[in-house]
Amino acid sequence: MMVGSCFAMLLALLAWGCAGNAGNAAPLNAATGKHPATWVQNHWADYVKTPDQCRSCHGSTADPALAGGISKVSCFTCHTNGVNHPAGWADPAQHGRGAKLAPSTDGMAMAGFAHCAKCHGDTYSNGLTVSCKACHTKAPHPDKPWYGTTPSGTNHNATDPGNAPECFKCHAAGANSVLKPLTVPPAGTAPGCFNDTMCHARF
Ligand code: HEC
Ligand code: HEC
Ligand code: HEC
Ligand code: HEC
Ligand code: HEC
């Protein structure tokens, strides 16, 4: 009985010790040598806080040949194209088109605004890395009207409507836009491009 409760206390202390380091160390259960059960869904949030903390066990996050490390789990086994951007990504035809695509459903493709927000921050200027406004200055996309008049002919109209919840963060009820909705939509209406929740009325 005594031994049992001491053991339980030791486990509790171990668990507490890991959690106590949460600021800078990825959660890994010392007893089982495994991450928590929900890790596949949320490991990215810890990576974004401090990428270095993953490399100590997983090796390189940029070079597949040097990936794996002492954990022998390479990021590239799942992220086959890597977690970093490909060369030439600053080109609007790459990153701009990528942002406008339907949001990535498995979290792997660089597609959709919500996906960008994971690393660039939920306001697009408070993330792990460069702010979208470092280049765009006003918004996480070209200046207004963003309607084919910008230098590279970019246009918001080819944005997949699946991105609407992200647009809604800044364009609810016509905010930041010259277009305002014509009527007030019923309470609880999900953000959409053409339902009066943002800029355009029902077609
Ligand atoms: C102390 C060493 C250590 C650190 C630090 C560490 N890992 Fe791991 N990781 C492992 C080991 C060991 C495994 C294999 C056991 C397991 O799946 O939990 C693993 C497995 C994984 C897996 C696969 C999980 C699965 O279910 O297949 C992912 C994803 C992962 N780690 C991501 C990360 C990320 C992201 C970080 C940084 C935030 C990180 N790890 C930091 C040791 C570590
Ligand atoms: C067992 C497969 C697996 C391994 C190994 C793995 N990941 Fe992931 N990763 C995923 C999945 C699945 C998602 C999408 C999670 C979600 O949003 O539900 C993801 C998402 C991410 C994201 C968020 C951005 C994005 O592309 O969706 C980052 C950053 C990330 N992983 C980094 C890493 C790093 C760094 C490693 C290696 C240390 C790693 N991953 C290893 C499966 C894996
Ligand atoms: C897994 C994390 C992650 C995700 C997801 C992500 N980025 Fe990035 N992004 C970075 C990091 C880190 C850098 C800085 C290093 C680099 O340029 O690769 C960066 C840099 C950039 C740059 C500057 C590139 C340059 O060469 O100056 C652009 C543009 C960019 N990202 C756009 C996007 C867009 C658009 C999306 C969504 C479609 C996105 N990013 C998703 C992590 C990410
Ligand atoms: C290194 C500079 C740079 C960074 C950082 C950057 N962009 Fe861009 N982006 C550009 C340029 C240049 C254009 C073209 C501008 C124009 O047409 O006026 C562009 C265009 C775009 C477009 C329009 C594409 C189209 O076809 O309509 C979108 C959307 C976009 N960027 C999203 C983002 C997002 C989201 C981020 C942050 C995750 C980001 N950008 C960060 C330089 C950058
Ligand atoms: C983080 C905030 C933010 C997000 C997210 C955002 N926007 Fe914007 N948007 C702005 C701001 C700020 C402006 C005004 C820019 C200016 O003054 O040039 C703007 C302007 C625009 C304009 C021009 C409006 C006009 O009056 O001419 C369009 C079109 C637009 N956004 C579309 C979108 C779409 C589509 C999305 C989602 C894919 C989106 N925005 C996501 C902040 C945002």
Side-chain angles (χ1 to χ4, degrees):
M1 172 99 182
M2 184 68 179
V3 174
S5 60
C6 280
F7 188 57
M9 211 167 128
L10 184 67
L11 278 182
L13 275 173
L14 272 176
W16 177 82
C18 296
N21 282 332
N24 227 340
L28 190 81
N29 185 313
T32 62
K34 284 196 181 288
H35 290 297
T38 51
W39 191 237
V40 172
Q41 289 83 61
N42 50 31
H43 62 280
W44 61 272
D46 280 280
Y47 169 77
V48 165
K49 273 184 236 153
T50 326
D52 276 346
Q53 63 177 313
C54 313
R55 295 180 191 127
S56 57
C57 294
H58 288 281
S60 176
T61 53
D63 181 351
L66 298 175
I70 56 167
S71 71
K72 301 208 161 52
V73 177
S74 162
C75 309
F76 293 86
T77 52
C78 299
H79 299 275
T80 45
N81 298 322
V83 288
N84 297 336
H85 291 310
W89 186 245
D91 181 347
Q94 290 214 30
H95 81 271
R97 302 250 164 93
K100 294 198 300 187
L101 293 172
S104 165
T105 47
D106 60 2
M108 295 300 152
M110 283 288 168
F113 274 79
H115 190 78
C116 320
K118 280 180 170 174
C119 295
H120 288 273
D122 58 1
T123 67
Y124 299 88
S125 49
N126 60 345
L128 151 76
T129 181
V130 55
S131 163
C132 304
K133 291 186 196 161
C135 299
H136 290 291
T137 73
K138 294 184 185 131
H141 56 63
D143 288 354
K144 64 184 176 200
W146 186 17
Y147 197 76
T149 55
T150 49
S152 49
T154 54
N155 195 324
H156 79 288
N157 70 357
T159 307
D160 186 276
N163 289 293
E166 288 300 304
C167 316
F168 189 73
K169 284 179 178 174
C170 303
H171 293 296
N176 292 311
S177 160
V178 295
L179 282 183
K180 307 289 176 199
L182 296 180
T183 57
V184 178
T189 305
C193 303
F194 303 109
N195 66 358
D196 286 322
T197 52
M198 289 190 273
C199 311
H200 304 279
R202 228 155 286 148
F203 265 2

